[in-house]
Amino acid sequence: MCGIVGYIGDQPAADIILDALKRLEYRGYDSSGIATLEGKKIHLTRAVGKLAQLDTALKNTPQAGNIGIGHTRWATHGGVTEANAHPHLAADEVAIVHNGIIENYAELKAELLAKGHEFSSQTDSEVLAHLFLDIVRQGYKGAQAMQQVLARIKGAFALAVLLRDSPDTLFVARNASPLAIGIEDGLVCVASDAMAMAHLTRNVIYLKDGDYAALSLDELQIFDRDNQLANREIIRTSASPALIDKGGYRHFMEKEIHEQPDAIAHTIAAMTDAKGVLKTGLSDADLGDIRHLVILAAGTSHYAGQVGRYWLEGLAGIPVSVETASEYRYRAPAHLAGGAVVAISQSGESLDTLMALRHAKEMGLKTIAIVNVPESSIAREADIILPTRAGPEIGVASTKAFTAQLTVLFALAVDFGRAKARLSADEAAGLQQKLLSVPSAVGAAIDCFEAIRPIAQSLKKTPSCLFLGRGRLYPLALEAALKLKELSYIHAEGFAAGEMKHGPIALIEEDLPVICLLDGDDLSAKTISNLKEAEARGATIILIATASSAKLVDFDSFRVVIEDCDPLLAPLILAIPAQILAYQTAVEKGTDVDQPRNLAKSVTVE
Ligand code: M6R
């Protein structure tokens, strides 16, 4: 999604900003731009497409100035054009980059148009630039101008602003969208993700909601939402300063699929106490007090939550509801006493999940976060953090974060089961042993890349396909369908196999690929009957199955077989061939695997 970078120092700002933007590239964007201030002159370069286009434009027309702002844009208001790319200028006096959405922009634009302001883009962000200009022309300067602007705008945003008449100062603000300030001798920088500036400095201040700041090499002035000077803590960021590379793989996604045995093993290790017992970060008091859980998440993290519900209810008898984060706060969710929410997010910045978490907090619920980015907004705002140790996930399609989330959810179910006396110490230890065998089973499953290629070659020709699963494999069918549609743009839907006969079976026609997940559990015979019904109507059957369960089927056209595993943990292992199928199909189709069209890694708008 959109990325912001700002810099003040003794180096050419455009070079530093371009390098920092490259570190945000993985998040997904469609255009980019940089503005620098040289004395009282604002220079601007913008380009549609990849940062390479911006790089070329800057090489053709180098941009001077030691202070500047840059942006990667993921279109929200207005199409993908150079005019809609950031930074936006107003009368060569103001330059602005903006993440988020200004909800009252139409009203503000009408007011500014009436005053004679002229707009050259369709964005809400250009309205902000003109609002600044209007306020500056009323005589407000610097931080006071920012204060006036913030009083007028509604929505979630992070901003970085250059004002021609404050040539040494960078102005920034945030509300719900992340923004961090980096400080080092001789430089100040800002970024919407600390990863973009970790190579410049490890000293980072995370602004709080409602904060705004005036930053220069001499002084950092941070104000809170009540316009009072605020003292914000400087922390040492754990974000990696290294430019993460593909390590010899063709794509980050391929690399991240291979990293899963380590990601799961590290996640388990971080949840193992000094006596070698699997323990999440919940205290015994919390485990005892919490009587039901509400899982809040989006996309893949939501499907992880759905798998987690089977474990939490099955092993610990704790009631769980799994909520779509973007819906949760817009109804009136009712909770019984003793509830807690679990927000699941790879990035820790998905605005839908962050807002849902805040809503739950306002209702008095205890908040637990399963996050992969330890300094993210969700991690900082939750009462308890259960980290996944997947390491930075760069591919837009989530892989290793998903299996690491499943690992934490399984451990949480064991922890609750023990605390609620649903599991004896021996049973819990047995489950821990099973979990410990997952990294090697996942490693073995990764070997199916080549076996899947012919299936991908066949699948790439289809406009549509279905994924089926039952029990714990039903949410995995949803996740497998999401992976395929994200990466290969093939229409794919996941269904509970038993639900087919209630309607979706009408979709079956000659040669429609139906991909079935089988783990050999008690429901497998029923799943196979449902599959037979699809085959009887002409579907092409593709199996993703454990060795024993695959032997029960003799009517499939293609199969991917993995070693037998305990069905309880099968979602963690069958996830691998499902990911590889989506990956190989995308490779066969030649789509952009790491940055699929229209998608962003971290979705910071509603
Ligand atoms: O960072 P989060 O886990 O909060 O992200 C949630 C979804 O946006 C994310 O899982 C998305 O669905 C991925 N593209 C899935 O591959």
Side-chain angles (χ1 to χ4, degrees):
M1 193 136 278
C2 300
I4 285 180
V5 170
Y7 170 82
I8 316 172
D10 57 9
Q11 301 295 307
D15 294 351
I16 301 278
I17 291 169
L18 183 66
D19 182 39
L21 287 176
K22 285 181 182 161
R23 294 162 193 266
L24 293 180
E25 206 170 8
Y26 74 96
R27 297 168 74 112
Y29 66 102
D30 44 51
S31 53
S32 59
I34 292 177
T36 52
L37 197 50
E38 183 193 20
K40 288 206 161 193
K41 171 90 186 120
I42 296 180
H43 302 285
L44 174 70
T45 309
R46 299 184 292 189
V48 167
K50 298 286 182 194
L51 282 172
Q53 319 302 125
L54 183 67
D55 200 358
T56 306
L58 284 165
K59 284 203 173 88
N60 292 339
T61 316
Q63 216 171 287
N66 293 348
I67 171 168
I69 53 180
H71 193 259
T72 45
R73 173 176 189 251
W74 184 83
T76 56
H77 289 66
V80 181
T81 62
E82 195 176 310
N84 286 337
H86 300 218
H88 288 284
L89 258 53
D92 290 331
E93 288 185 42
V94 179
I96 186 163
V97 290
H98 161 226
N99 285 357
I101 291 176
I102 303 302
E103 289 169 8
N104 58 336
Y105 86 101
E107 174 192 324
L108 293 168
K109 188 169 182 174
E111 185 185 314
L112 291 161
L113 280 168
K115 287 185 176 180
H117 288 259
E118 287 178 8
F119 293 87
S120 52
S121 81
Q122 301 150 301
T123 65
D124 52 340
S125 311
E126 192 190 9
V127 175
L128 275 179
H130 282 271
L131 184 61
F132 258 100
L133 179 66
D134 196 62
I135 284 170
V136 165
R137 287 189 173 167
Q138 290 170 35
Y140 292 100
K141 292 192 181 354
Q144 278 181 330
M146 177 68 93
Q147 179 189 336
Q148 294 297 314
V149 167
L150 296 182
R152 297 292 318 276
I153 61 176
K154 295 191 185 118
F157 52 80
L159 311 175
V161 185
L162 297 176
L163 298 177
R164 185 193 63 187
D165 294 331
S166 303
D168 305 319
T169 311
L170 189 56
F171 299 93
V172 296
R174 78 156 275 190
N175 189 47
S177 290
L179 196 68
I181 301 168
I183 316 149
E184 199 58 64
D185 276 351
L187 75 87
V188 179
C189 46
V190 296
S192 49
D193 182 336
M195 202 190 222
M197 55 186 182
H199 62 299
L200 297 172
T201 178
R202 313 307 300 274
N203 304 321
V204 166
I205 297 173
Y206 282 100
L207 290 179
K208 295 199 169 164
D209 274 356
D211 281 357
Y212 59 101
L215 313 172
S216 70
L217 290 177
D218 301 327
E219 194 178 19
L220 305 184
Q221 284 190 310
I222 301 176
F223 302 88
D224 64 17
R225 62 167 78 247
D226 298 320
N227 305 311
Q228 301 301 309
L229 273 172
N231 237 331
R232 299 284 177 240
E233 191 190 357
I234 301 176
I235 63 155
R236 291 285 291 172
T237 180
S238 60
S240 165
L243 243 185
I244 296 165
D245 67 17
K246 295 184 191 137
Y249 292 97
R250 276 172 300 173
H251 300 101
F252 281 110
M253 183 181 176
E254 187 187 16
K255 174 174 176 247
E256 287 157 5
I257 288 172
H258 282 88
E259 284 172 345
Q260 289 180 102
D262 280 352
I264 296 168
H266 289 150
T267 303
I268 298 172
M271 295 186 298
T272 308
D273 73 9
K275 294 186 189 134
V277 175
L278 191 64
K279 280 294 283 131
T280 62
L282 266 70
S283 67
D284 288 346
D286 286 332
L287 290 164
D289 288 349
I290 294 170
R291 299 212 293 272
H292 68 100
L293 291 171
V294 179
I295 293 180
L296 304 172
T300 290
S301 298
H302 184 264
Y303 298 139
Q306 286 196 28
V307 176
R309 171 168 53 190
Y310 284 85
W311 288 328
L312 285 154
E313 293 190 338
L315 297 175
I318 183 161
V320 178
S321 62
V322 187
E323 299 272 353
T324 299
S326 57
E327 290 292 319
Y328 179 70
R329 74 179 170 129
Y330 295 111
R331 56 188 180 80
H335 298 294
L336 298 169
V341 300
V342 182
I344 308 177
S345 176
Q346 185 286 127
S347 61
E349 298 295 352
S350 289
L351 195 62
D352 289 326
T353 310
L354 175 63
M355 290 308 193
L357 178 92
R358 286 184 182 169
H359 190 66
K361 212 168 188 176
E362 278 162 20
M363 288 190 299
L365 289 151
K366 185 177 276 297
T367 54
I368 300 163
I370 299 179
V371 279
N372 198 41
V373 181
E375 290 163 27
S376 60
S377 302
I378 291 175
R380 282 181 284 122
E381 293 193 24
D383 299 322
I384 299 164
I385 309 171
L386 307 182
T388 48
R389 308 279 180 175
E393 191 180 65
I394 305 298
V396 164
S398 188
T399 52
K400 61 177 180 168
F402 175 69
T403 46
Q405 288 165 347
L406 293 183
T407 305
V408 172
L409 286 160
F410 186 82
L412 193 61
V414 174
D415 227 359
F416 268 116
R418 193 172 25 215
K420 305 266 178 219
R422 292 281 292 235
L423 297 172
S424 67
D426 282 353
E427 284 167 328
L431 290 167
Q432 178 177 352
Q433 278 313 311
K434 288 181 182 180
L435 187 61
L436 284 168
S437 70
V438 168
S440 67
V442 163
I446 289 171
D447 282 343
C448 67
F449 265 86
E450 280 314 307
I452 284 179
R453 189 188 298 277
I455 309 179
Q457 281 163 348
S458 152
L459 209 55
K460 78 169 182 190
K461 298 174 203 134
T462 189
S464 180
C465 67
L466 307 183
F467 285 83
L468 304 185
R470 283 187 90 129
R472 292 170 293 263
L473 297 185
Y474 162 46
L476 188 62
L478 300 176
E479 165 60 6
L482 176 67
K483 280 293 85 90
L484 189 73
K485 56 186 140 183
E486 281 187 304
L487 289 162
S488 67
Y489 318 144
I490 292 171
H491 173 249
E493 296 299 333
F495 291 105
E499 189 64 14
M500 286 296 287
K501 57 188 176 290
H502 296 290
I505 200 164
L507 295 169
I508 306 281
E509 54 188 14
E510 204 60 30
D511 296 333
L512 179 85
V514 172
I515 301 148
C516 182
L517 302 161
L518 269 187
D519 61 7
D521 74 351
D522 298 347
L523 281 171
S524 288
K526 290 187 196 298
T527 312
I528 293 168
S529 300
N530 301 140
L531 199 57
K532 193 73 193 154
E533 289 154 11
E535 191 251 354
R537 288 162 178 80
T540 297
I541 304 299
I542 301 170
L543 275 191
I544 298 182
T546 54
S548 315
S549 62
K551 288 192 183 129
L552 306 172
V553 183
D554 61 3
F555 52 88
D556 53 301
S557 302
F558 296 100
R559 54 175 57 195
V560 189
V561 179
I562 62 159
E563 288 170 9
D564 277 337
C565 60
D566 189 316
L568 188 63
L569 287 157
L572 267 157
I573 302 154
L574 286 171
I576 309 303
Q579 294 166 353
I580 296 172
L581 179 63
Y583 173 82
Q584 293 285 55
T585 309
V587 169
E588 289 297 328
K589 287 196 77 168
T591 55
D592 188 343
V593 171
D594 285 329
Q595 289 172 29
R597 70 182 182 202
N598 304 338
L599 298 184
K601 184 64 184 160
S602 166
V603 182
T604 49
V605 294
E606 277 200 89

